[in-house]
Amino acid sequence: MAVPAAFLAPILLLCGLGLRLAAAHGPTGVECVLFNEEYMTCVWGSRETLTTNYSLYYWYENRSPVVECKRYLWDRGVSIGCHFNQSEIVQFQPFHVLLNASLNGQALEIRSKRMELQDLVKPGAPVNLTIRNMSSNQLQLTWSSPYPKAQCLEHAVKYKSNKDTSWIEHGVKGDIFSFPSVDYEKYYTFYVRSKINSYCGSTQLWSEWSVPVVWGRNTTSKGLAEEQLQWFWIHTVLVPIASCLLLLVLVVLLVRMERVWVILMPRIPNPSKNFDELFITHNGNFQEWAGVPKDMLESFKPNYSESICYVSELPSREIHDPQWDGSNRLPGGPGAPAPPRA
């Protein structure tokens, strides 16, 4: 039985309207961002704007076949994007993406424009912001970046004081920013962000702003916290260790100096303590104190006797014989001259 044309017309009209509504609430394109060259996400909508699940297919021009996304991003049961690992990312190769879905038996396809991934890099926010006083009125701000190719970065520094109403922003090529003039009556807040420079890509994607660092009066900044932490380590760790080392050195020096004094000024030995037993216990008896046996003492005694010989001195002849002269002749003796007669 033939269906009247008047009956089919409204149905076809409703189907076409449904497809147009689905396309109107579908994704308008795919936005891909390569985060710090570690991973990439390609997003095509949100739960509020999508009415059906889309599948993503991608390929590199003249390099690889078409591959479906392996890790979809979901929002309340609706696919809104795709996550790419680092191993799936190839820079300096044209990148293509295709989205498709099926709605009421009709295929919906959305092709992205050609993309260059090196132009879609968004580096990580700078870290370790540090402020140093270079002179009486000059500050130096330094930082580091988690991005692996520091030579491919350019930076922007924004700052203002507590008395300013707007931020001041400066472009910086390296990772050092010099602030030429400061007011010590103010305190300043600094932020830093980064992006890929023109030598490594043509992206306009800036990193997020860093954690702020503050300098000046009433500062509760990270720089002050780091300075306080340094002083804490100095007072609680370095000073005790240094004191112990100094004490150890002094002890070693004292020991060595005692040896030197012993060499230069030797002590005179005092043997009196060694003879206390001789005089106190043995009353000075050396043989008893020395432990000499009695039989040995008896062997040293003489076994003979000697008669006593008395010796006396004879008187001088000059005293007992006054006529004794030097001729050794007695008076009246032979050869003596006779005395004269009267």
Side-chain angles (χ1 to χ4, degrees):
M1 183 180 66
V3 179
F7 179 76
L8 292 175
I11 295 176
L12 294 175
L13 181 62
L14 289 173
C15 290
L17 181 60
L19 291 173
R20 286 193 297 271
L21 288 175
H25 290 280
T28 57
V30 179
E31 294 183 359
C32 297
V33 178
L34 178 54
F35 291 94
N36 212 49
E37 293 194 8
E38 297 175 356
Y39 66 93
M40 182 175 69
T41 60
C42 291
V43 179
W44 53 82
S46 64
R47 180 65 180 83
E48 289 73 17
T49 60
L50 298 176
T51 58
T52 186
N53 286 326
Y54 283 82
S55 299
L56 180 141
Y57 296 88
Y58 69 94
W59 67 96
Y60 292 96
E61 192 173 304
N62 301 325
R63 178 176 174 83
S64 62
V66 178
V67 181
E68 184 180 1
C69 174
K70 298 177 182 178
R71 290 164 294 276
Y72 284 100
L73 303 176
W74 300 89
D75 184 7
R76 289 171 288 177
V78 177
S79 60
I80 62 170
C82 179
H83 178 92
F84 295 84
N85 287 336
Q86 190 176 28
S87 60
E88 300 171 311
I89 300 170
V90 180
Q91 296 189 46
F92 300 99
Q93 291 289 335
F95 181 71
H96 297 271
V97 169
L98 171 66
L99 293 178
N100 69 5
S102 178
L103 181 63
N104 297 327
Q106 298 291 326
L108 301 176
E109 289 189 356
I110 300 175
R111 289 180 176 268
S112 71
K113 60 183 180 180
R114 169 178 165 171
M115 290 180 280
E116 299 285 346
L117 298 186
Q118 69 273 8
D119 298 333
L120 304 176
V121 177
K122 182 178 181 179
V127 295
N128 300 328
L129 273 68
T130 305
I131 295 179
R132 296 182 176 87
N133 290 324
M134 302 305 295
S135 62
S136 59
N137 61 349
Q138 185 178 8
L139 300 179
Q140 185 182 78
L141 173 65
T142 60
W143 60 88
S144 58
S145 176
Y147 185 69
K149 303 174 183 176
Q151 71 277 7
C152 289
L153 292 178
E154 61 181 79
H155 311 276
V157 176
K158 73 173 183 178
Y159 63 90
K160 74 173 183 178
S161 71
N162 58 320
K163 297 182 181 181
D164 295 330
T165 57
S166 60
W167 292 93
I168 301 173
E169 187 170 337
H170 288 280
V172 182
K173 296 298 182 182
D175 54 1
I176 298 176
F177 174 71
S178 295
F179 193 64
S181 179
V182 294
D183 186 348
Y184 284 87
E185 298 298 323
K186 303 177 183 179
Y187 65 89
Y188 298 82
T189 304
F190 296 86
Y191 289 87
V192 183
R193 65 177 181 174
S194 308
K195 82 176 187 70
I196 303 300
N197 58 32
S198 58
Y199 298 103
C200 300
S202 59
T203 180
Q204 296 301 316
L205 297 175
W206 285 92
S207 71
E208 302 298 329
W209 287 105
S210 66
V211 175
V213 62
V214 180
W215 180 92
R217 285 194 169 188
N218 301 323
T219 299
T220 57
S221 64
K222 178 181 177 183
L224 180 59
E226 289 181 350
E227 184 177 355
Q228 293 176 347
L229 182 62
Q230 291 176 357
W231 279 108
F232 171 80
W233 279 105
I234 290 174
H235 285 88
T236 59
V237 178
L238 295 181
V239 171
I241 292 177
S243 301
C244 293
L245 291 176
L246 180 60
L247 181 61
L248 180 62
V249 170
L250 290 176
V251 170
V252 173
L253 289 177
L254 286 175
V255 172
R256 291 184 174 275
M257 287 299 294
E258 184 178 0
R259 293 181 180 178
V260 172
W261 280 110
V262 168
I263 295 173
L264 295 179
M265 301 180 65
R267 296 177 182 176
I268 300 174
N270 183 9
S272 61
K273 294 182 179 180
N274 299 327
F275 296 97
D276 289 343
E277 187 179 359
L278 172 63
F279 295 101
I280 295 174
T281 305
H282 300 283
N283 296 321
N285 190 335
F286 180 81
Q287 289 82 1
E288 184 179 348
W289 174 75
V292 180
K294 291 183 178 181
D295 54 351
M296 185 176 292
L297 290 176
E298 292 295 334
S299 64
F300 285 107
K301 291 181 178 181
N303 54 3
Y304 61 90
S305 60
E306 295 180 355
S307 58
I308 300 175
C309 179
Y310 296 97
V311 179
S312 60
E313 184 178 1
L314 294 175
S316 175
R317 290 184 177 183
E318 293 180 356
I319 297 175
H320 297 282
D321 192 358
Q323 296 182 359
W324 181 266
D325 58 7
S327 63
N328 293 330
R329 296 178 179 176
L330 292 176
R341 294 180 181 181

